[in-house]
Amino acid sequence: MSSVSRRAGLPARIVMLATLAIYGVPGLFMVMTSLRTNSEVYAKAFDFHFRPTLKAYQAVGDYDVTAAVWSSVRITGLTTLLVLALGVPAAYALARMVGRLRSVGLASLILLQLLPASTLVIPLYQVLRSLGLLGSVQGVIFACTAYYLPFAVILLRPFFLGVPVDIENAALIDGASRARIFWQIVLPLARNGVVTVGVLVAMIVWGDFLFALTLLVNPSDYPLSTLLAQQVSDFGINWPRLMALAIVAAAPIVALFLAMERRLSAGLSVGGVK
């Protein structure tokens, strides 16, 4: 039985090792590049024998990284809260819909999710200009919320489908209101899904580049994603500084993923089943 189990688990191990190589090797070279000088990178990019230096990380301090980090935190945090505040009740309503209304609602969300972000930049630009929010961090937050809300609702719906309707019916018979049933019964049962979707939205918004670049005017409001893009210019690329800044930008989101890994695994397994 043990040999059969080992043979059954072999494909999973192969996939795991392949995934580790696909993501781990570029990560290793990113760290190595950040610890070199620019001349060493161009001379011997794949040489493992070099003297590490922290000059690239010291050069990162020349930028106003604190302002960029704070801008990224504001955009990511407030967008995630808004997406969950709107997406959780919308997903619950969609999960309890029946018939043609459910099909139309789900199809509409899928179509909205399929729209590329680039097609929404001009309409959002005009809407934010009319609201007086163009060039502000608040405008980027609203734009990101509008774009990622369908994605969140689609992901949240299976978690609410996993909550038995019989529990709600029993609470209704006992005299509980719909609002009380949602807040005290349904939402606690679906909390893993809410946390999972919240973390996924935060990870995506943290790396958002298009809305911040097109809707912000003041460079002091730029998040880390836009600051990274500024490292590429017509005069060349300082690869160690770029990689060092990329590691600084990726560190918070990697820490968030590691902290929420168990909840993410539990939540994604439930969502995958439904």
Side-chain angles (χ1 to χ4, degrees):
M1 181 64 68
S2 60
S3 61
V4 174
S5 300
R6 285 196 295 270
R7 287 197 299 270
L10 184 60
R13 293 191 181 93
I14 293 175
V15 172
M16 183 178 65
L17 291 175
T19 304
L20 181 63
I22 291 172
Y23 290 97
V25 173
L28 174 63
F29 275 97
M30 184 170 73
V31 174
M32 290 174 53
T33 302
S34 70
L35 297 174
R36 292 182 172 185
T37 62
N38 205 38
S39 58
E40 290 176 340
V41 172
Y42 281 102
K44 298 179 180 180
F46 299 99
D47 188 4
F48 287 87
H49 300 285
F50 64 94
R51 180 175 295 178
T53 177
L54 297 177
K55 290 183 178 180
Y57 292 92
Q58 294 172 353
V60 169
D62 296 338
Y63 298 97
D64 194 358
V65 179
T66 304
V69 170
W70 175 235
S71 182
S72 294
V73 169
R74 280 194 297 166
I75 293 173
T76 302
L78 293 176
T79 298
T80 304
L81 289 177
L82 274 176
V83 167
L84 291 179
L86 299 173
V88 167
Y92 172 67
L94 185 62
R96 294 296 180 258
M97 287 180 182
V98 293
R100 187 181 299 274
L101 186 61
R102 177 182 61 185
S103 301
V104 171
L106 189 58
S108 301
L109 289 173
I110 292 174
L111 288 175
L112 288 172
Q113 180 57 33
L114 291 176
L115 289 175
S118 55
T119 62
L120 299 177
V121 169
I122 294 178
L124 286 172
Y125 186 95
Q126 294 174 343
V127 170
L128 293 176
R129 183 177 60 182
S130 64
L131 294 175
L133 295 175
L134 188 62
S136 65
V137 173
Q138 291 83 358
V140 177
I141 292 170
F142 288 138
C144 290
T145 301
Y147 183 70
Y148 294 111
L149 183 59
F151 167 78
V153 174
I154 292 172
L155 289 185
L156 283 166
R157 177 176 171 268
F159 297 103
F160 290 110
L161 287 174
V163 179
V165 181
D166 293 339
I167 298 179
E168 299 179 46
N169 293 334
L172 282 173
I173 294 173
D174 290 338
S177 64
R178 282 289 183 183
R180 184 178 179 184
I181 291 173
F182 176 75
W183 288 107
Q184 296 186 3
I185 297 177
V186 177
L187 194 57
L189 291 175
R191 62 182 179 275
N192 280 344
V194 175
V195 172
T196 299
V197 174
V199 172
L200 291 176
V201 170
M203 292 173 66
I204 296 172
V205 175
W206 182 268
D208 180 78
F209 166 74
L210 182 61
F211 291 130
L213 180 66
T214 55
L215 301 178
L216 289 176
V217 178
N218 191 349
S220 63
D221 293 329
Y222 284 166
L224 285 168
S225 57
T226 308
L227 190 61
L228 276 170
Q230 291 180 328
Q231 306 306 307
V232 181
S233 66
D234 295 336
F235 301 99
I237 304 173
N238 189 317
W239 287 106
R241 187 173 59 191
L242 176 61
M243 294 299 105
L245 186 58
I247 291 174
V248 172
I253 211 65
V254 171
L256 175 64
F257 173 79
L258 293 176
M260 306 302 295
E261 181 183 4
R262 290 187 178 181
R263 283 192 176 272
L264 279 172
S265 300
L268 290 175
S269 64
V270 173
V273 171
K274 292 294 178 181

